Each structure stands twice: as C-alpha cells, then as structure tokens.
Amino acid sequence: MGNSNSANEFIILLAPLSGPLVPITKVPDPTFAEKMVGDGISIDPVTETLLSPCKGKVTLLHKSHHALTITTPEGIEVLIHIGLDTVNLKGKGFTPKVKEGDTVNTGDTLIVFDADFLTKNAASLLTQIVISNGEKIAEYLPSSGMAEAGKTEILKLKLIKANYVPEQKEESSSLESQDIRILNPQGLHARPTAVLTNSAKRFASDIKMLKDGREANAKSVVAIMGLDVKYQDRIRLRANGTDAAQAIESLQSLIRSGLGESLHGAPPEPKPPLQQKPDIEKSSDPNILKGVSASPGIVAGKIYRLKQDDIEIKEESEGRTKEREKFLSALNKSKIELSELQNRLRNSADVGKAAIFAAHQELLEDPDLLAATEEDMSAGKSAAFSWHQAYNAQADILRNLNNELLAGRANDILDVGRRVLVHLTGENAAKKEIPPGSILVAEDLSPSDTASLDRGRVLGFCTTGGGATSHASILARSAGIPAIAAIEERALEIKQETMAILDGDRGELRLNPTQDEIDRLNELQNKIALERKKNLEEASAPAVTADGHRVKVVANISGLAEAEESVRLGGEGVGLLRSEFLFLQRSEAPSGEEQAAVYTAIAQALGKDRDLVVRTLDVGGDKPLAYMPLPSEVNPFLGVRGIRLNMVAPELLQSQIGAILSASPYSKLHIMFPMVSTIEEIRLARKMVEQQKKELAINNEVSVGIMVEVPSAAVLAEAFAAEVDFFSIGTNDLTQYTLAIDRGHPRLAKMADGLHPAVLSLIAKTAEGAHKHGKWVGVCGGLASEKAAIPILIGLGVDELSVSVAALPQVKAEIRSLNLEDCRNLAQNALKMMSAADVRKMAAAFLENNG
C-alpha cells in the first residue's frame, strides 16, 4: 500500500490525515483549483498528525514547515500543502518530524500541527496532495468520501511507462495538418502560445509546430516563441501517436479561433530590429537623461544604483542521481514560491498581475528547458551549470527576435532561471538594504524584483533595458510606481545618492534639481497626499452634493479580494462584478459549484445591506474563450458576444444564472445581462432567471437589468425600462458603437471619447427612459471615475457611479463638492456642444470655478 503495485503501472497514495475528501477543483484557491501546481486531491482534516502517503525521500521541506515534497522511487513528486495561506504563519503551529534527505515509509509521521491555532490564523485547514510532475502520470483516479489516516486509498496514479500501452489499443499514426494562417495581430506571443501548449499537453502524441523548415515542440512555450510566428505567417502541425488525429483537429481549430485572443484589429506596424534601443532624442543638458515612459508619476529622491550579483556556478557534477535530486528540489521550491507570490497578488486585488507569475510557473514545466537541462546532466555536468546553459540559450533566442513582445519575455525566462539557480547553488544572498527615498537605476529589473519592491523605500526606478510592454513596467503601473525604461546608458554612471527628479509621465530623469524645484514638487505631492488622506477618512460617508442630492458610489470588481477592499474604501456595493475572471485563462469552463462558491463568498464579503450586480459572461469580441471556439467572424465586436452567446451555448448561461442565484440570501443580488440590443433578448433572459429560481426553489428577491452599451438599447430606453429593474451604462462600448471607432484601434482610439455630445445624448435618453418607469440608472464604464465627466453624468440624471476600487474615496469626495443645479446646467450645455474637445474645455472651466 502506498507504493507501486506488482505490475509497476500504478502508485497508490494513502490518506495522510483523517477527514472528508475534497476534489482539488473545489479548493477555494485558484492556485490549486486550477491545477497550477499539479493535479491531485484535498482533505479537510480532523486529525493533526500528517503521515506519509507513500514510500520515498523527502526532497523538499519548506522553511515555514507547512509544505513538503516526497519523491517516490519511481520519481513521482508528491507535494503536500497543509492549509491555505499558512505560509504567512512563518512556521508557527507546525512541528516537522523529518528533514530534507530523509527516507520515509508509508504511514511515517511527517509533520505535527496545531489545528486550533491554524483554524484561527489561516484561511483554511484544507490540505492538498498534488503531483507536481504530472507529465509522468497517465491517469488520476481520486477517491471520495471519508478518509482514515494511513488506511484509506485516496489517489491512484496510473504511470506513463516506456512500454505502457493505453487501454484503447489504437494504432499509432503520424499526421500533418494543412497550412494554418496566423491571424493574431501580434502573432504567437506568450499568452496565445500558453493556451496552445496547455491544450497540446492534453494529448499523448508527440506534436510539433512547423514553420519555414524549422520545427518546435508544441508543448513548449519557449520553443514556439522561438519560431517567432508573426501575423499572416503560415504554420503546420505534425502529430505522431495514438491520438494524432484528435490532436491535429483540436489544435488547428483552436489556432484558427485565435487561441483566446481577438482576431479583429489592425496588424502590428513594422518595427526596427529590437537589438537597437528606441530612437530617443538626447537632451543637450547633461543633467537630463531621457527614456520612454514605463509608468506615470513624478518623484524626487536620491539615486541608488542596483547591480545584480553574479552567482558562482560549478560545472563539475557530483553524480547524475544527486544532481537530479537537487534539480527537482530547486524546481519544487521555485513552484511553491511562485504560488505564494500569486496568492499575495490576488489577495491584494492584483489578480491580473498574478497571471504573470502563473506564466513563470508554466516555464518551470517547459519540456524543452527540462530536456536541455537533463541532456547536460546526463553528459556529466552539474544541475546548476546545465540549467544555466538551458535557460540562457532560450532567452538569447527570444532576445534576438524582431518582435517586441517576444523579446520582452526573455526577461521572464531569465527571472525564472535565476530563481531556480539560487536554490541550486545555495547562494541566496540577503537582499540589499535599499535606503528610504531611493530612485533605483539598473540595467533591468525582473518581474520578481519589481513585485517585491519595498514601497516604503523605493520611490521609482529607471532601467537602461526593457520597454513599456515589459512585465516589470506592467507591474510598476499596477503598483503606482513611477518608472522609465530604455533610459540612456550613462544613467549607470550616476554617482550614488545624487539628487534627482524622476518624471515617469515624460520619460525623463533630471539630475541635481534646485531646492526650489524639489520644494515645489514636495508641496504638490503633500497636497495630493493630504487630499487622499482626507478622502479616505471620509470614505464611509455617503456621497451627497452640497445641496443634498444623494449619488450612490459602488465598485467595479473582478474577484473576492477587490470586493473586500471596496468595503474598506467606502464602496456602497458592487455595480459590476465582471464574471469573466472565472472563465478566462483556463482550459475548461468552471463548474456551477465552483462559480457558486465564488459568488457566495463575494456576497458575504459585501453583506446584506449592499448591492451586488453580477454581469453574466461577457466574452467574444476582445475576450474569446479558448475552450469554446466561436465561428470565425469578419467583425467579432458586431458578432456573437455578450448575451448573444446564448445562441451558441445556452447551457453555459443557464449554469451561470443558477450559480449566481446561490448568492441571493447573502446580499441584494442583481443579475445584469451584457450586449442587449433587442427587447426579445431580455425577455428570454428574464425567463431563464425565473426558470432557474423555480428549479432551485429560490424565493429571495433578485433584480434583473441590462448593460446599456448598444445605441438601440439607449434609443429604446423607455421601452426597455418596462421590462427590467435597472440600467447600467457601459460607456466604453457605448462610445465605440456610437462613434463607430474600435476603442483598441492604434490610430483612432483617441477619438473614442465618452464625452462626445452624441454619447452624452444617449446617456440622457437612457436616464430619462428609466426614470419614467421609476427605475434607477448607473454608469459602470471608465467615464464614471473621470473628474471631468462626474458633474455631467450627475446632471444628466445618473443615479449611481460604479468605479474602480481605488477611485472610490476620490469620486465620493468629488461629488460632495458639487451642486446638483450647477451639474444640470453644465450637462444641458454639454449636449449643445459639437465635439468632445469642446465638452472637456467647458468641464475644465466648470471644475476650476467650482474647485
């Protein structure tokens, strides 16, 4: 028990704890539920002694003692993770009974933990048993029900073996597809490539991508990116194996559908080779250095030059077995670190940026990187030397490509590579103590470096490498850190502690500023800081104009962390829960149970006194789903998207409505349907809601409304108001469809201004139609948080503004400074203007006079 059976085809894991078994997909943590670490099973423990589920060697014991990995004699890595968010306890409540390198038998004691302490201080006691090198597993057979520690079989693993013959004895075949033209505007960069490789990994066949006489492993992100597949390039797929036909059919359909990206939009404009830095005009002033804006903002501080220390690497091997054990341990430690980093970003409402480090985790499982490392280790080289050679070679390939997005990902490979290398060499030097008030200057910053910057010490940074599209720049913008990329090389020669002003808006570093310049900047920043502090202190107070008119201010969110943060920042509810976050960046649709758990958790975080407006799935257009390829459309933005998905996948919408309704006992629930353009659509949607309520025996009151983002809905607002309980205006799409300008168009996007009088006229008509039937109307698009737009929207009759979480205190403060009658006069004048520029000019004068 707990080891391979006699045929050596299976490994059976016994329960390490007693308690009910929970499917891994039901764990309330996407890192495990989405199998980012690996597939497996979870236990809700009722005992406190963790036993070994199998025979093997302890190849990793986390420093916080909440997780460890046992590698079986067959090389299967069994990762056991006690509780959720338990890493934050820093070892408190855990007593390890083994150390790294120990050999254990099935049932041996591994860790003893204090369940009472963990229950009070951690998110959950759920304990995950996952296989971190799943490429060796042919099939997972999890058990269910109640488990008894050391006795119950919880997971049966069918091994992939060299002589293994699948139960379906199909003949192996080799097939090649016809030419497939790539229509992704940016070619196959990291995101669509990850979708492709994840799908390819589901097939047993060996799959190659062919381009211009070269080939790449279709299960390797790095290998495919190395082919530099651009817009309009033609590729082929070749598969060899028992499921070759299915693989070719599935993958070519996925590629033609866009691999989760919109195929609509202008192709990229030709760019100069990326080996050259951007052509930036240098200043004649020796105290001014120029680069490109990577993240806006302006700060004054002292220069701190940051140089990454070299890691000493020994080429000589200590034996292949020992080197491989060291390599597997380093990979496991890196995977756990990246999981924790993702959790930290998710818990700080930075869900989108967590995806950057999910991609890093994918690189740790890249078959080409691992194969190159294994080849050098087999040739007698050390694990550190082999890994260093492998990841640098792959980074060099990407760095030399004439493609900005792919070249930018070279830094991600180097970041992941160094993370593993640190564990392999044991040279995890203490982090440099950066002085408070520093402006960092470096050749480049890795995403990991950027995500871990101490905001109490680092005011901003500039790098001689990188660009606005690098992950470091994306993370800087997310964290609000002013930054400059591609700055002049002489920045690396600036003396330490030189006083400087970093202007992220203009991409300019000014050295040796006068004291007057610094004082003026500090005065401005102090003023802004005081305003923010005051706004935050008053955030919980309602937003009421000076003459007593109440405007509801709620939040746009994409998950639980943002819901919790919105309550802290004075949000009066959620005006838009973008449910897409549950459906995107995954290989299959979430189950109704998984959705219900998330919606319920968000509703509970808000409480029964706050509104929760859940928008049903809004994909298509710029948000296609990889696992639900839609027919190719000339213009997807005018095709099957939003509520129109009901035409092709009604079961998906029915399942989602049922899951949303499960949150009805916990908050004031509203269901909102996007992209509604006809009365028939909303009548059908309401009927589906009533049907689901009846089937689920739900008697709670649930409001049903629509997004007003199509001009027809605004023009017929009075008719729609008789059918719905509320309107929420999506100004981003309403502007796009009213002005016939793609908001993502590289040349025309600036013209897509929501303050255009035509758009404002439709907002006015929507508010008028709603109020005639006693219904409320909100705005959940980007216009709701624009300072110039707020008085105009209020003047047009908008009852609710739904804004980004961070903007809540500021928007509420802005409303308190206004007068309703003045807003109405401003709005009426705006409707008479001829252009958005005229409206903005008038709004600026209004704010100056009323500021």
Side-chain angles (χ1 to χ4, degrees):
M1 292 289 239
N3 295 299
S4 301
N5 70 357
S6 57
N8 287 327
E9 290 184 2
F10 294 95
I11 289 179
I12 294 172
L13 302 184
L14 300 188
L17 296 159
S18 296
L21 295 171
V22 178
I24 198 74
T25 55
K26 300 292 178 64
V27 175
D29 182 332
T31 301
F32 292 108
E34 295 175 16
K35 304 179 184 179
M36 294 178 186
V37 179
D39 202 349
I41 196 165
S42 181
I43 295 178
D44 195 357
V46 295
T47 53
E48 301 177 295
T49 300
L50 184 76
L51 306 181
S52 180
C54 57
K55 179 181 178 180
K57 186 174 184 178
V58 180
T59 49
L60 168 69
L61 175 62
H62 195 278
K63 61 184 177 183
S64 294
H65 301 153
H66 68 295
L68 82 171
T69 295
I70 297 172
T71 301
T72 73
E74 298 81 5
I76 303 303
E77 299 159 13
V78 183
L79 169 65
I80 309 173
H81 192 287
I82 304 171
L84 300 178
D85 295 341
T86 42
V87 66
N88 300 323
L89 302 179
K90 298 180 180 177
K92 292 181 181 178
F94 298 97
T95 305
K97 299 297 182 180
V98 291
K99 61 184 183 299
E100 285 187 12
D102 284 356
T103 299
V104 294
N105 291 311
T106 307
D108 285 356
T109 299
L110 302 175
I111 298 172
V112 176
F113 57 90
D114 185 338
D116 289 338
F117 177 79
L118 298 190
T119 300
K120 293 175 184 175
N121 295 280
S124 170
L125 272 179
L126 281 172
T127 295
Q128 287 60 246
I129 303 93
V130 298
I131 309 305
S132 57
N133 58 342
E135 68 275 3
K136 297 190 173 202
I137 307 300
E139 190 175 4
Y140 294 80
L141 301 169
S143 302
S144 59
M146 197 73 182
E148 183 178 354
K151 296 183 179 179
T152 306
E153 294 182 6
I154 62 167
L155 188 60
K156 191 173 183 180
L157 305 171
K158 190 170 188 177
L159 301 177
I160 294 176
K161 302 192 71 70
N163 59 352
Y164 169 67
V165 179
E167 289 181 9
Q168 294 183 342
K169 295 181 173 58
E170 302 175 29
E171 289 187 12
S172 178
S173 60
S174 180
L175 295 172
E176 190 168 305
S177 73
Q178 297 297 315
D179 281 358
I180 307 169
R181 191 158 56 99
I182 301 300
L183 297 177
N184 299 66
Q186 297 292 344
L188 296 189
H189 59 94
R191 191 180 301 111
T193 299
V195 172
L196 177 62
T197 57
N198 278 328
S199 298
K201 288 173 185 175
R202 298 206 306 263
F203 298 98
S205 294
D206 176 60
I207 307 169
K208 303 292 185 186
M209 179 180 286
L210 314 176
K211 174 182 177 271
D212 298 335
R214 294 185 297 146
E215 66 177 40
N217 183 350
K219 299 178 183 180
S220 166
V221 172
V222 173
I224 292 178
M225 290 198 296
L227 287 180
D228 191 17
V229 181
K230 301 185 181 72
Y231 175 74
Q232 295 285 10
D233 278 354
R234 292 181 182 273
I235 60 100
R236 287 193 176 204
L237 296 173
R238 184 171 63 220
N240 193 338
T242 56
D243 54 2
Q246 299 98 304
I248 292 288
E249 182 181 358
S250 174
L251 296 179
Q252 69 181 0
S253 174
L254 192 59
I255 293 170
R256 286 181 174 132
S257 73
L259 294 165
E261 282 199 325
S262 170
L263 301 183
H264 172 63
E269 296 182 2
K271 294 180 180 176
L274 288 163
Q275 291 87 330
Q276 302 172 11
K277 292 187 66 170
D279 188 13
I280 300 166
E281 185 181 349
K282 294 183 180 180
S283 170
S284 57
D285 187 337
N287 282 321
I288 294 180
L289 290 80
K290 293 192 173 183
V292 296
S293 174
S295 180
I298 181 168
V299 290
K302 291 183 177 180
I303 295 294
Y304 182 84
R305 292 200 318 275
L306 191 64
K307 186 178 184 300
Q308 201 170 61
D309 294 332
D310 292 331
I311 295 178
E312 185 180 346
I313 300 169
K314 294 180 180 178
E315 187 174 346
E316 301 79 21
S317 172
E318 295 180 21
R320 184 175 177 277
T321 301
K322 186 170 183 180
E323 294 296 341
R324 191 171 187 279
E325 284 180 0
K326 281 165 41 176
F327 184 53
L328 291 176
S329 175
L331 286 177
N332 273 334
K333 288 175 181 177
S334 299
K335 287 176 185 177
I336 290 175
E337 285 176 351
L338 288 168
S339 294
E340 290 165 356
L341 187 51
Q342 290 172 68
N343 285 334
R344 178 163 64 80
L345 287 168
R346 287 192 184 96
N347 292 337
S348 65
D350 232 335
V351 181
K353 308 312 170 288
I356 291 172
F357 296 101
H360 282 204
Q361 254 182 337
E362 284 287 329
L363 288 171
L364 290 178
E365 298 173 1
D366 189 277
D368 280 14
L369 271 176
L370 298 179
T373 305
E374 187 74 34
E375 184 178 347
D376 273 3
M377 285 194 293
S378 298
K381 305 297 182 184
S382 71
F385 178 86
S386 303
W387 173 248
H388 184 258
Q389 292 288 101
Y391 78 75
N392 271 289
Q394 297 287 8
D396 285 342
I397 292 171
L398 296 188
R399 204 159 26 198
N400 292 323
L401 296 176
N402 186 23
N403 183 312
E404 183 179 356
L405 285 170
L406 296 188
R409 297 298 84 89
N411 203 22
D412 291 284
I413 293 178
L414 294 173
D415 189 6
V416 171
R418 186 178 176 87
R419 183 183 293 277
V420 177
L421 196 61
V422 161
H423 291 303
L424 281 170
T425 60
E427 290 193 23
N428 194 0
K431 289 184 179 178
K432 293 181 174 67
E433 189 74 8
I434 299 172
S438 291
I439 293 174
L440 300 188
V441 175
E443 289 186 15
D444 218 334
L445 287 179
S446 70
S448 297
D449 291 335
T450 313
S452 60
L453 288 178
D454 184 348
R455 292 303 312 279
R457 293 175 176 270
V458 178
L459 301 176
F461 67 81
C462 46
T463 59
T464 57
T469 61
S470 73
H471 278 158
S473 296
I474 293 169
L475 288 164
R477 290 193 291 273
S478 170
I481 302 174
I484 301 171
I487 200 165
E488 299 171 44
E489 295 285 343
R490 63 190 178 97
L492 299 174
E493 300 167 9
I494 302 172
K495 290 182 179 179
Q496 296 280 38
E497 298 192 353
T498 298
M499 198 67 195
I501 291 177
L502 186 154
D503 189 339
D505 299 292
R506 300 171 63 182
E508 187 174 281
L509 184 70
R510 298 200 297 276
L511 304 179
N512 304 307
T514 66
Q515 192 58 48
D516 282 347
E517 288 179 295
I518 295 171
D519 290 343
R520 283 197 300 271
L521 176 58
N522 289 337
E523 186 179 343
L524 175 62
Q525 290 178 326
N526 288 337
K527 182 181 177 182
I528 293 171
L530 286 172
E531 284 180 0
R532 285 178 179 163
K533 184 173 182 291
K534 182 186 176 188
N535 294 344
L536 187 58
E537 289 170 350
E538 298 175 351
S540 58
V544 181
T545 63
D547 52 349
H549 177 68
R550 171 78 181 270
V551 179
K552 204 167 190 177
V553 182
V554 292
N556 298 331
I557 68 167
S558 297
L560 177 59
E562 286 186 311
E564 294 169 338
E565 181 71 357
S566 75
V567 173
R568 188 183 74 83
L569 293 180
E572 299 173 76
V574 165
L576 171 62
L577 169 58
R578 304 181 186 94
S579 62
E580 298 80 53
F581 80 97
L582 282 165
F583 293 81
L584 298 172
Q585 304 300 324
R586 55 190 299 161
S587 58
E588 58 185 20
S591 66
E593 292 81 5
E594 181 184 346
Q595 292 182 63
V598 175
Y599 300 138
T600 298
I602 290 171
Q604 290 173 328
L606 296 174
K608 294 184 178 181
D609 295 329
R610 291 185 177 89
D611 290 347
L612 170 58
V613 179
V614 184
R615 181 177 70 190
T616 58
L617 185 61
D618 184 17
V619 294
D622 58 343
K623 296 188 290 285
L625 294 176
Y627 50 85
M628 194 179 72
L630 295 172
S632 180
E633 297 178 291
V634 175
N635 192 336
F637 283 94
L638 299 179
V640 180
R641 60 167 299 201
I643 198 171
R644 298 171 186 176
L645 281 173
N646 188 46
M647 295 188 295
V648 294
E651 69 289 343
L652 194 65
L653 184 57
Q654 286 174 340
S655 172
Q656 185 180 30
I657 290 172
I660 294 171
L661 287 170
S662 65
S664 61
Y666 307 102
S667 68
K668 295 178 180 177
L669 184 65
H670 299 61
I671 300 179
M672 180 164 67
F673 293 92
M675 197 62 186
V676 174
S677 57
T678 69
I679 296 288
E680 289 75 19
E681 287 171 332
I682 190 56
R683 284 177 178 166
L684 179 60
R686 286 206 80 129
K687 187 176 179 181
M688 292 176 74
V689 173
E690 292 306 317
Q691 219 168 18
Q692 288 293 309
K693 285 183 71 175
K694 187 175 180 180
E695 288 181 16
L696 299 171
I698 290 175
N699 300 315
N700 300 301
E701 185 178 343
V702 178
S703 297
V704 176
I706 65 169
M707 288 273 284
V708 177
E709 46 196 343
V710 179
S712 63
V715 171
L716 295 177
E718 188 174 345
F720 274 102
E723 304 282 340
V724 302
D725 301 312
F726 67 95
F727 291 140
S728 186
I729 303 171
T731 53
N732 300 349
D733 269 327
L734 183 60
T735 302
Q736 171 173 254
Y737 292 126
T738 301
L739 301 179
I741 294 175
D742 179 352
R743 56 191 169 126
H745 194 284
R747 291 193 179 93
L748 302 179
K750 289 182 180 179
M751 295 168 58
D753 192 329
L755 284 181
H756 192 286
V759 180
L760 297 180
S761 295
L762 292 176
I763 294 173
K765 195 166 185 64
T766 303
E768 182 184 356
H771 294 160
K772 281 185 178 178
H773 287 270
K775 309 297 170 62
W776 62 268
V777 58
V779 170
C780 62
L783 214 59
S785 54
E786 274 199 48
K787 190 172 182 178
I790 291 170
I792 296 175
L793 294 175
I794 293 171
L796 292 174
V798 171
D799 305 296
E800 175 183 286
L801 298 177
S802 191
V803 304
S804 65
V805 174
L808 285 165
Q810 180 185 345
V811 171
K812 293 180 84 170
E814 189 64 33
I815 292 169
R816 296 186 196 108
S817 71
L818 301 172
N819 180 289
L820 178 61
E821 201 54 42
D822 292 341
C823 291
R824 285 174 174 163
N825 291 334
L826 174 67
Q828 290 307 308
N829 288 330
L831 293 173
K832 299 172 186 175
M833 296 289 108
M834 300 303 293
S835 69
D838 291 340
V839 174
R840 288 193 176 277
K841 186 176 179 180
M842 184 178 65
F846 173 86
L847 292 172
E848 188 174 344
N849 293 332
N850 290 271

